[in-house]
Amino acid sequence: MARIFNFSAGPAALPEAVLKQAADELLDWHGSGQSVMEMSHRGKEYMGIHAQAEADLRDLLGIPANYKVLFLQGGATLQFEMIPMNLFAGKPSADFVHTGEWAKKAIKAAKAFGKANIVASSEDGSFTYAPAQKDWKLDKDAAYVHYTGNETIGGVEFHWTPETGNVPLVCDMSSNILSKPIDVSKYGLIYAGAQKNIGPAGLTIVIIRDDLIGKGVPTPQTMMDYKTHAENDSMYNTPPTYGIYIAGLVFQWLKQQGGLAAIEKQNIAKAKMLYDCIDSSSFYNNPVRKEDRSRMNVPFTLKDAALDEEFLKGAKAKGMVQLKGHRSVGGMRASIYNAMPVAGVAALVEYMKEFEARHGK
Ligand SMILES: *Cc1c(COP(=O)(O)O)cnc(C)c1O
């Protein structure tokens, strides 16, 4: 069976090479006579897989030694609550940059734990741009500053790293982590659900600077306290072992691709193909300010929404699925994470041109 091109925003496509390796190792991992799924998380084999995944992630992102990598569960959504629980640390407020659907959810959740100040927002432009640093009205006494690195639904991405002085910078990187090199030392905490650009759903990665651990006031419940997970190497309870194993294979695949600088180059090229197609036509439209367009999630509309169904049907017939836009935005959305091959984007662009030729004018 031929594999389809899956443009889903998440759970999303995984590299074919990773899936093949996982299939080969499914029944018998490295001669152990068992599947990774069946291994004790305290056993020597799994401990090795776990440690290697962390080491490879550290290597890829250049994570400094004074940061912990936590393999958690509960998705980015649980982090919307764990972060304020742990990081407010007795301070009255934290600063938030409001850029769309995901920022909004993070802000709403934080309000249960303290004051969430919106220090910059693109609401005035229907969330079609990333507010410039000079417009952020930061409070130097804030507990932390939170922003959404890539708005998966709106297709808006920060292509620069905010400066927040001594106030810890917190970023939701769920949909663009590992898509480009970043300077981890600029952040207090980075978090991401795995199912977009890392691996299967069920694993959440948190990268947190040491000094921010164990400062929750009041002390969070055991499972909600980063300290518990940091002190136990993410093994306080059973971690999502199979998800961590697959993520580990993805990290190795990324290294084989040449690391994050090489992947970024490819992501820029893929995104350019798609945006060029949209911009060179009057049939397709993307509303996001050019310099803030996401390289991972490309929303676009057709000139006539009545053609949406036919567009989707025709795409499916050509082996391209999950192009329907988020229900809150409508139109189309092509998610083109690391694992989407250039050939997939090329096929989509070719189909878009052909569809326009048939229905345009
Ligand atoms: C998908 C997504 C989330 C939610 O992730 P869950 O794992 O479903 O909790 C949060 N933030 C961003 C930016 C996302 O793309």
Side-chain angles (χ1 to χ4, degrees):
M1 193 202 90
R3 280 188 39 94
I4 50 167
F5 289 124
N6 176 6
F7 292 90
S8 171
L14 284 165
E16 192 171 328
V18 165
L19 295 174
K20 284 203 170 124
Q21 184 175 346
D24 283 348
E25 297 177 348
L26 184 65
L27 293 179
D28 177 11
W29 183 83
H30 295 202
S32 66
Q34 55 183 323
S35 172
V36 174
M37 264 184 263
E38 304 168 301
M39 291 175 181
S40 162
H41 60 294
R42 312 263 179 217
K44 181 167 98 324
E45 286 102 344
Y46 176 73
M47 297 276 270
I49 290 169
H50 191 100
Q52 189 63 50
E54 178 179 339
D56 286 335
L57 180 64
R58 283 185 173 277
D59 211 17
L60 280 166
L61 282 169
I63 301 174
N66 63 323
Y67 284 72
K68 289 278 186 303
V69 172
L70 308 179
F71 295 128
L72 306 179
Q73 303 185 55
T77 305
L78 183 60
Q79 293 312 307
F80 292 165
E81 296 180 338
M82 272 180 89
I83 291 164
M85 266 183 200
N86 284 269
L87 265 54
F88 263 112
K91 292 204 170 188
S93 68
D95 287 351
F96 288 80
V97 177
H98 190 6
T99 46
E101 292 286 327
W102 290 114
K104 186 164 126 192
K105 292 208 163 106
I107 292 163
K108 183 165 180 246
K111 281 181 176 163
F113 305 95
K115 196 157 181 287
N117 286 326
I118 296 180
V119 295
S121 167
S122 55
E123 192 165 11
D124 60 357
S126 306
F127 302 115
T128 54
Y129 68 96
Q133 171 89 57
K134 66 172 174 41
D135 297 326
W136 294 26
K137 309 223 160 17
L138 294 172
D139 169 9
K140 62 176 184 1
D141 295 319
Y144 60 93
V145 181
H146 179 280
Y147 79 110
T148 309
N150 182 63
E151 283 284 357
T152 319
I153 295 172
V156 174
E157 183 171 9
F158 284 84
H159 296 295
W160 44 276
T161 308
E163 283 294 341
T164 56
N166 290 327
V167 180
L169 180 62
V170 174
C171 185
D172 178 356
M173 282 193 201
S174 291
S175 50
N176 67 345
I177 191 167
L178 297 172
S179 69
K180 58 188 171 187
I182 53 166
D183 181 353
V184 174
S185 74
K186 293 238 154 69
Y187 296 87
L189 187 152
I190 292 166
Y191 65 105
Q195 71 273 21
K196 276 102 185 205
N197 214 13
I198 299 174
L203 165 67
T204 310
I205 291 183
V206 171
I207 301 165
I208 180 171
R209 208 173 62 211
D210 281 343
D211 62 288
L212 300 174
I213 297 171
K215 298 281 165 63
V217 177
T219 303
Q221 300 293 313
T222 309
M223 278 297 283
M224 296 298 202
D225 195 342
Y226 289 128
K227 189 160 178 247
T228 304
H229 303 289
E231 284 180 344
N232 291 281
D233 288 328
S234 307
M235 296 227 201
Y236 175 73
N237 71 323
T238 316
T241 51
Y242 200 75
I244 293 167
Y245 156 72
I246 298 285
L249 295 185
V250 170
F251 300 153
Q252 283 170 17
W253 175 81
L254 284 169
K255 288 176 127 181
Q256 287 156 16
Q257 307 309 300
L260 300 189
I263 273 289
E264 178 183 38
K265 243 190 209 164
Q266 197 177 95
N267 286 331
I268 290 171
K270 285 188 303 186
K272 186 174 184 312
M273 283 166 70
L274 199 42
Y275 286 117
D276 280 353
C277 170
I278 292 167
D279 291 342
S280 65
S281 99
S282 53
F283 186 77
Y284 300 107
N285 182 56
N286 168 284
V288 180
R289 184 164 72 183
K290 286 203 172 131
E291 55 270 39
D292 304 326
R293 283 172 164 179
S294 172
R295 290 174 194 153
M296 300 282 102
N297 311 96
V298 183
F300 62 93
T301 51
L302 275 52
K303 199 166 185 174
D304 180 359
L307 290 169
D308 285 3
E309 278 314 312
E310 193 182 336
F311 181 90
L312 291 166
K313 225 174 106 195
K316 191 163 179 219
K318 289 184 179 296
M320 293 177 279
V321 302
Q322 297 286 350
L323 283 160
K324 195 178 166 80
H326 190 268
R327 57 189 182 278
S328 67
V329 186
M332 306 297 148
R333 172 176 50 175
S335 294
I336 50 172
Y337 300 116
N338 291 343
M340 173 58 65
V342 176
V345 181
L348 176 59
V349 165
E350 189 188 315
Y351 170 65
M352 286 169 72
K353 288 189 169 150
E354 175 197 307
F355 191 87
E356 180 182 357
R358 252 187 298 135
H359 298 278
K361 272 208 300 275

